[in-house]
Amino acid sequence: MKIAIPKERRPGETRIAGSPDLVKKLVGFGFEVIVEKGAGVAASMTDAAFKEVGANIAKDEASTLADADVVLKVQRPILEEDETKSELALMKRGAILIGHLGALYNRDDVRAYAEAGITTFAMELMPRISRAQSMDILSSQSNLAGYRAVLDASVEFSSAFPMMMTAAGTIAPAKVFVMGAGVAGLQAIATARRLGAVVTATDVRPATREQVESLGAKFLQVDAEAMKEAETEGGYAKEMTEDFRNKQRAAVHEHLKKQDIVITTALIPGRPAPELVTEDMVKDMKPGSVIVDLAVEAGGNCPLSQLGKVVIKHGVKIVGHANMPGRLATDASTLFAKNILNFLNPHIDKENKTINFDWDDETVKGTLVTRDGQVVNPALTGEGA
């Protein structure tokens, strides 16, 4: 069985869906692993490192994907009418594609996978169950994004994070407000605390309060009763009522006036990111304060955010870097590759050197998007709506 790891071609993508450790294990299982030349350079993973653990290095994408049974990618393949520019066209019918496909947002692409006869697994749809935690790419990548968001904020902020007592006077600690206490938010809290900031956080899910406070931050609660209904069975935040949103806006607006740095992390699967920081709120923030919008790729938690840019609006710096995990490409790639290995491992037939998916397995059913020429995931067929 041939497993291919091509170079990522979407603009700004520095990660690779593999690592020397992953390749070593796959080769040990008896698979042939093909890595495209230069695929890991931006993540500090050289062709020599892959070759040393048993990978074959292909000269280009076409030769990497030729006859590949399984294709591992970070981002969804590029689709073009011109087949010479289409990554999907390079994959053979019956191949298996595994990666972060953005399936809920890119439904035309999903239909194209089905028409091409590709079996696809969207790793971002991994069920939130205990057994799947080690396979969860959203968690592994969001953890790094939360960490990097604080570092980027510290670079853009014109003052120091910790309290400093000097002969010339005392510098007050920075005040950091984290909106959304999921994986990214909790890591942002922990990182900001390590840097000496005074941290507050908010989330619509009541269970997060204890986690926030355990990290040494204060929790800004809006409406305790409404928050009881704010979480799905899968552990994601629900879209809240207009009444709750109005209460939240009022409380957040007042709190933002005193903050130096705001990090927003709120996402709702399959929908645009909710607006948390309005332009009126930005107008009332202190000059020189910073917003880092981790939801900018899904429309942004602040309407003034611009994808891939750092802009100044009403005296506030708004950071909208795309692909935040890719700003830590080495660790992000290593964790992504480990997520994929953990997903594949239960289905590897070591004796016959192949992969036999258990189609009834929760992690398989949850992430499977297309199979046998059909779109099969309930979230995309309407059955899971």
Side-chain angles (χ1 to χ4, degrees):
M1 179 171 261
K2 182 185 288 187
I3 299 177
I5 305 175
K7 184 177 181 179
E8 296 294 322
R9 280 174 165 72
R10 291 197 174 272
E13 185 52 77
T14 54
R15 294 170 291 174
I16 176 176
S19 66
D21 186 57
L22 171 67
V23 170
K24 182 177 181 180
K25 286 182 169 60
L26 293 177
V27 171
F29 291 138
F31 300 128
E32 180 184 358
V33 181
I34 312 296
V35 177
E36 184 180 353
K37 182 179 179 181
V41 170
S44 303
M45 298 179 187
T46 64
D47 294 342
F50 284 113
K51 193 171 183 179
E52 186 177 341
V53 293
N56 293 320
I57 306 300
K59 63 179 181 178
D60 55 27
E61 189 173 33
S63 53
T64 303
L65 297 178
D67 299 321
D69 301 296
V70 179
V71 178
L72 307 181
K73 281 185 59 60
V74 175
Q75 295 209 40
R76 69 189 195 282
I78 294 172
L79 276 62
E80 296 283 354
E81 289 186 12
D82 181 352
E83 291 195 356
T84 63
K85 299 178 181 178
S86 172
E87 292 184 281
L88 183 62
L90 296 175
M91 299 179 198
K92 72 177 184 181
R93 195 168 191 85
I96 296 169
L97 170 64
I98 303 172
H100 189 314
L101 306 181
L104 297 179
Y105 300 96
N106 301 288
R107 302 199 177 203
D108 289 344
D109 286 16
V110 169
R111 285 189 286 272
Y113 306 149
E115 290 170 6
I118 305 294
T119 297
T120 55
F121 291 94
M123 292 292 286
E124 74 275 9
L125 300 180
M126 186 64 64
R128 288 289 177 93
I129 57 177
S130 297
R131 183 169 61 86
Q133 288 180 357
S134 65
M135 313 172 194
D136 188 350
I137 63 167
L138 294 184
S139 291
S140 71
Q141 304 301 292
S142 294
N143 189 55
L144 292 171
Y147 166 78
R148 183 69 198 216
V150 175
L151 299 189
D152 285 344
S154 71
V155 170
E156 300 297 341
F157 188 49
S158 60
S159 298
F161 263 54
M163 174 184 284
M164 294 184 183
M165 301 182 72
T166 75
T170 300
I171 297 172
K175 293 180 179 179
V176 175
F177 182 40
V178 179
M179 303 185 73
V183 174
L186 291 173
Q187 183 57 250
I189 292 167
T191 304
R193 287 282 296 150
R194 290 190 198 104
L195 291 177
V198 174
V199 184
T200 54
T202 189
D203 195 289
V204 298
R205 297 164 296 173
T208 60
R209 178 171 189 157
E210 185 177 342
Q211 295 171 300
V212 166
E213 292 176 344
S214 72
L215 293 171
K218 292 183 178 180
F219 191 80
L220 178 68
Q221 184 164 287
V222 177
D223 185 330
E225 285 302 311
M227 287 174 69
K228 292 178 182 178
E229 305 297 324
E231 188 172 6
T232 68
E233 290 182 6
Y236 294 98
K238 284 183 180 178
E239 190 166 15
M240 300 302 290
T241 65
E242 186 60 31
D243 180 59
F244 179 87
R245 289 199 295 270
N246 288 335
K247 289 180 181 179
Q248 184 187 45
R249 287 191 194 102
V252 167
H253 194 160
E254 193 60 33
H255 191 64
L256 285 175
K257 295 176 183 179
K258 307 166 190 174
Q259 302 306 300
D260 299 305
I261 291 167
V262 179
I263 296 173
T264 68
T265 70
L267 291 166
I268 300 173
R271 298 190 182 186
E275 183 180 298
L276 302 182
V277 182
T278 66
E279 183 168 4
D280 285 341
M281 293 178 190
V282 175
K283 289 178 180 178
D284 287 338
M285 290 178 68
K286 295 189 291 186
S289 53
V290 177
I291 298 170
V292 180
D293 192 342
L294 285 182
V296 68
E297 290 177 288
N301 294 142
C302 177
L304 302 180
S305 303
Q306 293 184 29
L307 181 60
K309 296 182 180 180
V310 177
V311 297
I312 299 176
K313 301 289 184 179
H314 308 296
V316 176
K317 278 189 178 180
I318 305 174
V319 180
H321 293 312
N323 188 16
M324 193 66 83
R327 294 169 68 78
L328 296 163
T330 302
D331 288 334
S333 299
T334 299
L335 293 179
F336 193 98
K338 192 62 182 290
N339 291 146
I340 290 178
L341 177 63
N342 291 334
F343 172 62
L344 290 176
N345 202 41
H347 311 286
I348 293 175
D349 183 339
K350 299 179 178 66
E351 184 176 341
N352 295 308
K353 300 178 182 179
T354 188
I355 300 173
N356 293 320
F357 286 104
D358 176 359
W359 302 107
D360 292 322
D361 184 285
E362 281 185 273
T363 64
V364 172
K365 288 195 296 184
T367 57
L368 182 64
V369 173
T370 61
R371 185 187 179 199
D372 297 330
Q374 300 292 322
V375 178
V376 297
N377 194 287
L380 294 161
T381 60
E383 296 174 25

